[in-house]
Amino acid sequence: MSGQTLRPDDTAPAAAGPAVPRVHGNDYTVLDPPALGAWTPSLRVSVVVPAYNGQDKLDLVLAGLAAQTYPGELTEVVVVDNGSSPPLRLPEIRPAATRLVVCEVPGRADARNAGLAAATGDVVHWLDSDVVPDRHEVEAHMRWHHLAPYLVVTSYLRFTTAPLPDPGAVAATADLSALFEPAEPHEWLVDLVQRTNGLTDTPNRAFSLHVGGATSVARRLIDAAGPMDEELILGQDTEMGYRLAQAGAVFVPEPLARGYHLGPSMRMRDKQPIDRVSHALIGDRIPQYRWLRAHPARQWKVPYLEVVVEAAGYEDTRATVDAVLSGTLPDVSVLVTGPWDTLEPERRAPLTDPRLDLALILGHYAHDGRVRFASGGAPRVAPFRLCLPAGWVPEEDTLAKLLDLAVDDGHGLVGVLLAETPEELATARLERRAAFARAALVLAAEPSSTLAGPAMDDPVDDPVDDVVDEVYGALWIDGETLGFVPASQAVPAKGRRMAYRARLEAEAEVVRLTKEAERLRGQVAKWREEAGRWRKSAVDLRREVGGLRREVARLKAGRLRTMIKRISVRRTAQAPSEPLNGPSSSVTIPDEPANGTGSGQAGGASGVRGKTDGVPGTGVKANGAADASGKADGAAGAGG
């Protein structure tokens, strides 16, 4: 059994026409708008100007509209007086097709919806009653709308505090900067465009560009998305931008469309109070603002994911629905489809009722706010829709992983192959609403296009899927990889109490492991300190060993010198004794002189003999003694 295919509620085939460009994501750069003044327009535009008091500013706005380069016969202006006192009037300088309507109900959304109801153009151009448009502003917008029927275009505004000029000067000038500069840029818009590469890098957030000050929207998109939310007191522009995105819009910032805001904007004056109010309200309606949905369990008016389950057997349907509601993704709702309008339970013999299982399903979930049935309830514009056959159960984190796959890679369709047999092909389909809405717009405007019905037996052959693949991308994946299993193999879901206990156990384990990590870090610090001591001891030992080595080397060197000296002494002493004792030696002793000198010389000779006559082993002493005796004898001889 195949899943259902998402279709826009209000989309129907239109008359055949030229092929519509297929913009991928929000990459509008594939479109090539003509140069200003170099093209022939054909679409009609309705400029809707809601106003409350401020007649002097309104006069300047209408004077700026009267000087537009876009053809007057294709332009109408609808001014909405939202209960001004005194009532507003139409000034003399204004576009020819200008009307004044009154909306007594206070509020920007009510006033704009009143103007929307009166507008007849192919394009609706929102314009605040304190924004003076440049003479090319409307044309700069409209040249885009002639390229594709699903565009939203926004002007670049500058905020001026210059004195208000005369309306005639506004209508006559070719350059408003001469009247309103110096001025400040719309910093928030400029920053958003710059950090997202002109909004082409973040298609999921491009809708934030829809601001009511100077934005134009294809009427077909507004009809599909619906008017502004009159329940909101702030943030209506952004919330409508979100719904326009779900209707298939592409958002274009146009730098050639310029205007001057008379005075600072409300956000420039009171940003924090405005954020406080708008965030409290739009978080319930815009699932894409994930940071505003930090609560782990509460339900929201518009869910992030809607799961569509076609009712089958009670047990299989309940297994699927219960698994969806008990997963890690709380921001989810379930739509159970079936013949609920014609269901009349049998009361006399209920056990024999052939539609008993349908009655059980309806009775089991009738009072669960997260589950609704196709026969009732307002449509929920969830950005993602999962068509899941009954009897297939996602694991706890399966839906979250499936959404991550689609969001991170920007896919418009993620098909899941659940089972394949010769008789049946079971699939689930995660569909991005914006992608399928744009594909429907493209196909509706192309010649000989036919849209498939709400249910497809073979999704692979669906022409809508082919266009979705072009404008966003498509992916098919095996269900087992993501954790889809048949109901008979599913593990019972953990209740909240079990999950709570598991979380407490996990937190306790984290505390224990943290303490153990601290202990180990302390032990490591001790080991590092001990290693430091070892390194210091090693350094000291190396120093001692070096000293010992030097001492040993010194001792060895000293001993070597002593031995060398002794050897030298021996050799020196042996050299003169050899001729005395040798066989050919002869000594001639001269006659003793009269003064006794000869006696001393004899003593010296005697000393020499003493060196050679000593006993071996004691030669030094003997030599020394003989030497001393010789010296003594010589001295005695000298004294004689």
Side-chain angles (χ1 to χ4, degrees), residues 24 87 145 210 223 286 365 395 532 606:
H24 185 87
H145 290 290
H210 180 261
D223 292 341
I286 304 180
Y365 294 107
E395 294 180 352
S606 175

Side-chain angles (χ1 to χ4, degrees), residues 559-571:
R559 183 176 178 184
L560 183 60
R561 285 195 298 270
T562 301
M563 294 176 63
I564 292 173
K565 180 183 287 187
R566 288 176 180 173
I567 293 172
S568 299
V569 169
R570 285 197 190 107
R571 290 179 178 177

Side-chain angles (χ1 to χ4, degrees), residues 62-76:
L62 294 177
L65 289 173
Q68 292 296 305
T69 58
Y70 197 73
E73 63 272 16
L74 296 177
T75 304
E76 72 169 356

Side-chain angles (χ1 to χ4, degrees), residues 325-326 396 491-503:
L325 297 179
S326 62
E396 278 189 284
V491 177
K494 293 181 180 180
R496 290 185 181 274
R497 190 69 185 275
M498 294 177 63
Y500 174 72
R501 290 176 177 173
R503 180 168 62 83

Side-chain angles (χ1 to χ4, degrees), residues 213-230:
T215 297
S216 61
V217 185
R219 183 60 188 252
R220 183 179 298 183
L221 283 175
I222 296 180
D223 292 341
M228 287 198 169
D229 190 340
E230 296 175 355

Side-chain angles (χ1 to χ4, degrees), residues 503-517:
R503 180 168 62 83
L504 291 182
E505 292 175 359
E507 291 175 351
E509 183 67 8
V510 169
V511 172
R512 186 189 69 78
L513 292 176
T514 301
K515 291 181 179 179
E516 179 66 13

Side-chain angles (χ1 to χ4, degrees), residues 31 56 97 122 143 155 157 178-179 231 246 268 270 289 334 344 371 382 393 447 451 480 483 497 521 533 546 561:
L31 303 176
D56 53 348
D122 303 301
R143 66 198 184 113
S155 299
L157 300 182
L179 301 176
E231 294 181 359
Q246 304 315 306
M268 293 173 67
D270 302 299
Y289 288 165
V334 179
E344 296 182 4
V371 180
V393 175
L451 293 179
E480 186 178 357
R497 190 69 185 275
R521 278 195 289 268
R533 289 197 297 269
R561 285 195 298 270

Side-chain angles (χ1 to χ4, degrees), residues 384-468:
F384 293 97
R385 187 176 187 180
L386 174 65
C387 302
L388 181 62
W392 286 91
V393 175
E395 294 180 352
E396 278 189 284
D397 201 41
T398 294
L399 298 185
K401 291 190 294 186
L402 183 61
L403 281 170
D404 288 343
L405 186 63
V407 172
D408 294 344
D409 296 335
H411 296 303
L413 167 66
V414 179
V416 182
L417 179 61
L418 300 174
E420 183 177 9
T421 65
E423 298 79 19
E424 184 180 42
L425 179 67
T427 64
R429 296 165 56 90
L430 179 67
E431 301 173 344
R432 185 189 294 265
R433 181 179 292 271
F436 277 81
R438 188 180 305 168
L441 288 172
V442 169
L443 288 175
E446 289 186 347
S448 304
S449 66
T450 56
L451 293 179
M456 297 293 297
D457 293 331
D458 188 359
V460 177
D461 294 335
D462 189 351
V464 176
D465 288 2
D466 295 335
V467 180
V468 167

